[in-house]
Amino acid sequence: NTLNQSRDAYGFTRAFMLTGNEAYLTAARRALDFLYAHSWDRTHGGVYAELDRMGNPTHPTADKSAYEQHYATVGPAAFAEATGDTAAWRWLNQVTAYEDAKLWDSTPGRDGYFDHVRADGSAPDGKSFNATVDALTTHTLALYDLTGDERYRQRAVQLGANILDHLTPTLDQNAIGFAEQYSADWRPDGSQTMTIMGHVLKTAWCLGRLQGIAPNSAYLPAAEKLVDDVWTRGYDHRLGGPYKDYNRTSGQMLMWGQRDTAKAWWQMEQAITSGLVLHHLTGEPRFLQMADETLAFYMRYFVDHTYGEVYENRTRDGRQIWDVNKGSSGKAAYHSTETGYYIYLYGHLLLRGEPATLHYRYEPLPVARTIRLTPIDDADLRITAVLLDGQPYLAFDGAARTLSLPAGFGGHFTVTYAPTAPTAVADSAPTTPDGFRLDPAAPNPFNPTTTLGYQLSTGSHVKLEIFDALGRRIRTLVDEPKPAGQYTATFDASGLPSGLYLARLTVAGRSRSQRLTLLR
């Protein structure tokens, strides 16, 4: 299952980012190498849905769905984020180009992703929840966060408009939930009556995430309406957590031949993530209550504390239902890993305002790079510290959330993020002490010398030091008492390699810093 290969690679990649264990990256790369080698239709383009164990497509003439194309990107997108891997980027560009060419409907008034095309990419038809909302969660938001490319933000805004214009209005026409299948011109499919509580909550989560990158006064009211629909009609207020599936027109729960009601592991995730994000954005206690109650139920009844992983489905009160499967061919560990990943980030950064640390592995390249790091869609986030192979690394811009790698630099990076406090100052000046300043270097970039100016309003002991990008002190330009006044010091970088350096002025235990770039 192509979708499963991609999702498992996502799970392994997030496991590495949380733990720093590079064995997970090896496993992710194996899954992705298989995906890259066998899943692409070299005749017509697009991704095959299923392969045999040798990599041959089992149904080469089957329709291609937007759902499968979207999820073929989720593993490569996470891997590109964690490693900057060029093969992952090529795959992302290839799949998104196919989607733009074959699946995107640019017709005014009906724009959006088609639900499916034929095997050869012809006869696009239908619109759907999966074609729309899953595009946001798999790659559109991730690619904007990774690149800052306006075309990805614009596509995210278009998908947000699809949600506001077509999905959420059907809430008022149904007993519960919204229509999930549509015609190509966005008319709800009356023959499809199932609504899935996880899909309603996931849509609210995406609107909250969109608010972080493209604020819109309509996003939060619509997200609140979606969550409240589940909260009032499809949620277990006794034990916690959303129920599973309903008939949207009658409002009746779908029992699927069982005597008891069911809850699904991936739908629990959507209650947790949407609840945490919307609580952060609105301060409404019911959203946090939903996240807390659902997580408590999930940890108690879904997680197998003996053998690991999580069960697919449980009854209303947490007992076994149908079978004891953990995951499925389509989802496997993806949702359980994603749940843990976002609980960690949202819990620390959004809920408690605490730092969170993630791991990255970038191989050295012959060219310099600036890497954008934005693990969640929230502008009020900054990088506060970076380690390279366990040692302090100074070549980062905390406010811009970028990491600078000179040519030939690479290794295992440990990056700590924190919410931006209202009184935060620029990253180049982690403290702003009174009574002295370090003036920008002139010239900068420089070769091979540059001059730094500094000013003291009172006499004090002064230390002016130069550090390389790894945090190693390579020069001490000044280390002595000085009276009040204006001073200069020359940094001669003869014999040093091109790259980023940091000048740090310390007076009475307080510091100012200035980045320097040596270009030969």
Side-chain angles (χ1 to χ4, degrees):
N1 187 294
T2 293
L3 176 149
N4 195 44
Q5 290 286 307
S6 180
R7 283 175 153 174
D8 281 352
Y10 172 97
F12 283 127
T13 302
R14 294 308 191 206
F16 159 71
M17 294 178 72
L18 288 169
T19 66
N21 183 347
E22 295 191 12
Y24 291 125
L25 283 185
T26 302
R29 189 180 294 276
R30 289 182 63 192
L32 292 176
D33 285 346
F34 186 87
L35 187 77
Y36 302 154
H38 302 292
S39 295
W40 187 254
D41 182 344
R42 288 175 169 77
T43 301
H44 302 295
V47 177
Y48 291 119
E50 293 183 358
L51 310 167
D52 65 22
R53 63 194 300 258
M54 302 306 294
N56 303 303
T58 54
H59 304 289
T61 61
D63 284 358
K64 294 185 171 82
S65 73
Y67 173 71
E68 287 154 350
Q69 306 304 307
H70 292 338
Y71 271 102
T73 66
V74 71
F79 200 75
E81 178 183 357
T83 68
D85 182 69
T86 54
W89 279 111
R90 284 195 299 271
W91 179 262
L92 289 170
N93 290 331
Q94 179 175 258
V95 176
T96 54
Y98 176 85
E99 290 188 326
D100 287 345
K102 301 296 184 181
L103 284 162
W104 182 256
D105 185 353
S106 59
T107 307
R110 51 182 280 179
D111 63 302
Y113 280 113
F114 287 110
D115 185 70
H116 56 272
V117 294
R118 290 178 181 167
D120 61 2
S122 66
D125 197 19
K127 303 282 168 58
S128 68
F129 160 85
N130 289 115
T132 304
V133 177
D134 285 332
L136 289 165
T137 58
T138 56
H139 64 283
T140 307
L141 290 170
L143 288 174
Y144 176 71
D145 287 339
L146 282 169
T147 66
D149 191 323
E150 178 60 22
R151 64 187 170 123
Y152 297 124
R153 194 185 74 88
Q154 184 57 40
R155 178 52 49 85
V157 169
Q158 291 172 311
L159 293 168
N162 291 160
I163 293 171
L164 296 177
D165 294 342
H166 305 297
L167 271 64
T168 56
T170 65
L171 286 170
D172 297 329
Q173 303 162 16
N174 292 299
I176 186 173
F178 53 38
E180 302 204 10
Q181 296 290 331
Y182 299 81
S183 65
D185 59 358
W186 284 109
R187 285 178 290 109
D189 183 351
S191 67
Q192 180 278 325
T193 58
M194 184 172 70
T195 184
I196 301 173
M197 295 298 94
H199 285 174
V200 178
L201 293 167
K202 187 176 187 178
T203 305
W205 178 37
C206 284
L207 289 175
R209 295 179 67 183
L210 280 168
Q211 184 69 12
I213 69 164
N216 182 325
S217 61
Y219 287 153
L220 292 184
E224 292 187 51
K225 186 174 183 178
L226 289 160
V227 171
D228 286 342
D229 188 69
V230 176
W231 182 247
T232 57
R233 298 179 176 91
Y235 184 86
D236 183 352
H237 288 280
R238 185 172 70 90
L239 296 174
Y243 293 118
K244 189 171 177 166
D245 308 324
Y246 285 83
N247 182 303
R248 64 182 172 89
T249 58
S250 70
Q252 295 299 306
M253 188 181 296
L254 300 178
M255 304 295 284
W256 305 115
Q258 300 298 317
R259 295 181 178 180
D260 204 345
T261 52
K263 298 173 181 175
W265 89 117
W266 70 267
Q267 302 201 38
M268 306 293 279
E269 176 198 352
Q270 311 307 326
I272 297 166
T273 54
S274 63
L276 290 175
V277 168
L278 292 181
H279 173 72
H280 168 68
L281 293 171
T282 68
E284 287 289 339
R286 70 184 183 280
F287 298 135
L288 183 58
Q289 180 183 348
M290 179 179 70
D292 280 343
E293 291 176 352
T294 302
L295 180 55
F297 188 96
Y298 179 88
M299 292 302 295
R300 182 173 183 181
Y301 296 112
F302 276 88
V303 176
D304 184 341
H305 294 282
T306 301
Y307 300 108
E309 245 287 4
V310 300
Y311 298 108
E312 272 192 281
N313 300 287
R314 309 306 278 173
T315 62
R316 168 172 38 195
D317 56 3
R319 291 175 289 116
Q320 175 184 331
I321 189 170
W322 287 302
D323 50 44
V324 292
N325 285 346
K326 296 173 179 175
S328 67
S329 62
K331 295 179 180 177
Y334 163 67
H335 276 290
S336 51
T337 310
E338 186 180 53
T339 302
Y341 181 73
Y342 280 112
I343 288 170
Y344 173 71
L345 291 178
Y346 290 163
H348 281 72
L349 297 170
L350 302 186
L351 182 61
R352 294 192 295 275
E354 299 173 350
T357 297
L358 294 175
H359 297 266
Y360 303 83
R361 174 80 198 190
Y362 299 114
E363 297 301 323
L365 292 181
V367 296
R369 290 170 284 173
T370 298
I371 298 171
R372 181 179 162 110
L373 297 175
T374 305
I376 61 173
D377 316 290
D378 194 287
D380 297 325
L381 185 71
R382 63 185 282 110
I383 297 173
T384 59
V386 179
L387 300 177
L388 171 55
D389 296 330
Q391 299 299 314
Y393 186 79
L394 302 177
F396 67 92
D397 186 326
R401 298 189 297 272
T402 57
L403 187 66
S404 297
L405 274 63
F409 268 65
H412 185 134
F413 291 85
T414 306
V415 180
T416 299
Y417 301 90
T420 301
T423 56
V425 296
D427 179 67
S428 62
T431 60
T432 311
D434 296 328
F436 73 99
R437 75 171 191 264
L438 175 65
D439 293 328
N444 188 24
F446 69 99
N447 177 29
T449 64
T450 188
T451 300
L452 293 130
Y454 60 98
Q455 179 176 327
L456 308 176
S457 59
T458 60
S460 183
H461 191 278
V462 176
K463 183 179 285 188
L464 180 57
E465 303 165 290
I466 305 295
F467 298 83
D468 67 10
L470 295 177
R472 298 173 298 202
R473 185 174 60 245
I474 59 171
R475 295 278 196 281
T476 299
L477 304 182
V478 180
D479 187 5
E480 60 184 349
K482 286 190 176 289
Q486 294 185 347
Y487 300 90
T488 60
T490 299
F491 172 35
D492 185 348
S494 299
L496 294 174
S498 296
L500 293 168
Y501 295 87
L502 188 81
R504 177 174 295 167
L505 178 69
T506 303
V507 177
R510 306 186 74 181
S511 299
R512 296 292 302 267
S513 299
Q514 170 68 35
R515 287 191 181 85
L516 311 171
T517 303
L518 173 61
L519 291 179
R520 295 195 178 279

